[in-house]
Amino acid sequence: MRRLALAMFACMATCGCGRATAGPPKLQTMPIKGTITLDGQPLAGADVTFIVGALPDTFAGRTKDDGTYELQGLSGREANLNGACKVTVSRLAKRDGSPLGPDETPADAGAVEQLPPKYSRYDATTLTATVAPTGGTFDFALTSR
C-alpha cells in the first residue's frame, strides 16, 4: 500500500496534478502600433492581427475610434514578433451594420464580416508587415472594394 501511495505521489508530481494553476495567460502591449483607414476614413472597432511564422504566433489589437491600434501578445512571447508577418483586419457587425454590444458574441448576434476577404481572411489577406526586433509603426489604407 505504501508503494502504491508513493507511485501515485510521483505520478502527480510528474504530471502536474495537485499544483496550483497560474490563472489565465498575461497579456502585454507590444511595440507595434499604427492606424487603419477604410476609404480614407479611420476604421473603428476592427480587430488587427499579426501572424508570424509557419507555426503561427499571433499578436492582436483593436482599433479605437480614430483608427489607431496597439498590438498585445502573451507575456514573454515578444521575441517571436520579428520578421515577416501576415496581417488580417476584421470587423464583425450585426447584419444591420450596427456594432456588437459588449456582452454579445459574434455567433449569438449573427455577426457578419464587414471587410473584404483580402483583408479579413488569413488564407486570402494581401496585407503584410516586416517587423524589426524593436517593433514599429504600420499603417494600412484599406478600400471597401
Side-chain angles (χ1 to χ4, degrees):
M1 188 70 147
R2 187 171 188 190
R3 281 189 179 168
L4 179 60
L6 283 172
M8 288 175 53
F9 178 79
C11 179
M12 288 186 342
T14 303
C15 298
C17 302
R19 289 188 211 162
T21 59
K26 293 184 180 182
L27 293 178
Q28 66 183 8
T29 300
M30 307 304 292
I32 305 293
K33 61 183 178 178
T35 303
I36 308 290
T37 58
L38 179 64
D39 298 329
Q41 299 299 312
L43 181 62
D47 294 312
V48 181
T49 307
F50 279 49
I51 304 109
V52 185
L55 295 172
D57 279 324
T58 59
F59 302 86
R62 178 165 283 181
T63 57
K64 299 176 187 172
D65 289 343
D66 63 357
T68 61
Y69 69 92
E70 222 173 350
L71 295 187
Q72 291 187 323
L74 292 176
S75 183
R77 299 292 296 268
E78 64 274 7
N80 294 339
L81 185 55
N82 185 17
C85 301
K86 282 181 113 174
V87 179
T88 61
V89 180
S90 172
R91 184 167 156 219
L92 296 173
K94 294 179 186 175
R95 291 195 183 280
D96 65 4
S98 61
L100 299 174
D103 295 330
E104 290 182 295
T105 63
D108 289 341
V112 294
E113 180 60 58
Q114 300 291 298
L115 299 176
K118 67 181 179 180
Y119 307 129
S120 61
R121 287 186 31 194
Y122 175 79
D123 62 342
T125 187
T126 58
L127 304 175
T128 61
T130 301
V131 179
T134 56
T137 300
F138 299 91
D139 299 330
F140 296 98
L142 313 181
T143 59
S144 55
R145 294 186 189 256

